[in-house]
Amino acid sequence: MHDGSGGAVRKRRSPWALAYLAIGLVCLMIAASVAADSTRADDLIPLVLTGVPGAVLTVRAPMSGVSFGAAGVKYSGLLTSRSYPWSEVAGVKSAVVSGTLFSSDVPELALASGKGDQLSMLAGYGWGRRRNGRVARLVDELATARTSALAS
């Protein structure tokens, strides 16, 4: 697959997307069983509380991730999608929240406007203060793609 400028488009997804998909399917099955047995109006509450999140997770989780190439970067999260040409991205970094027991790394685009855009569906987690290797590699790949696209 190629982007409009002739460069190859690379896609990356989090392995957590499969877990989100499984949770969505379980929620939909619960909603379906509630719907099959519902006889009263108050049975609609658990139907809505499990059916709506289940539908969102089931539909959006497989599509979540990041695509990037010479033209720029496109992020698809659970509820939103955003695209940026590389000229709008000032840098790529990893936002780290570390504790003594648990830490998380989130890829973040530093935008030329001064704002940051965290790619939260691509977050990685680890024990203690260890950095998540998958997120570190993704940040390096995005930074390399940005550098080579701006150099051309």
Side-chain angles (χ1 to χ4, degrees):
M1 176 186 239
H2 295 278
D3 63 9
S5 64
V9 174
R10 291 175 277 180
K11 293 183 181 183
R12 299 292 181 263
R13 290 184 172 81
S14 170
W16 288 102
L18 291 174
Y20 298 141
L21 175 63
I23 292 167
L25 290 171
V26 168
C27 287
L28 282 179
M29 289 189 309
I30 292 169
S33 69
V34 168
D37 289 336
S38 78
T39 56
R40 301 177 317 211
D42 63 345
D43 289 339
L44 292 176
I45 294 170
L47 177 68
V48 171
L49 289 177
T50 57
V52 173
V56 169
L57 286 169
T58 301
V59 171
R60 292 291 298 181
M63 295 185 292
S64 67
V66 66
S67 301
F68 56 98
V73 60
K74 180 181 182 197
Y75 167 71
S76 296
L78 272 183
L79 300 175
T80 61
S81 294
R82 300 179 288 281
S83 296
Y84 301 103
W86 288 121
S87 60
E88 291 181 19
V89 178
V92 183
K93 63 181 181 175
S94 180
V96 180
V97 177
S98 63
T100 55
L101 181 62
F102 190 69
S103 65
S104 64
D105 292 311
V106 182
E108 183 175 5
L109 302 176
L111 303 177
S113 65
K115 296 181 180 178
D117 188 0
Q118 289 189 348
L119 311 179
S120 56
M121 281 297 291
L122 298 165
Y125 308 96
W127 296 107
R129 298 185 189 271
R130 283 188 50 194
R131 301 290 309 270
N132 185 282
R134 178 185 53 81
V135 174
R137 286 187 302 276
L138 175 61
V139 167
D140 289 344
E141 285 183 67
L142 288 168
T144 302
R146 177 186 169 274
T147 303
S148 59
L150 293 175
S152 330

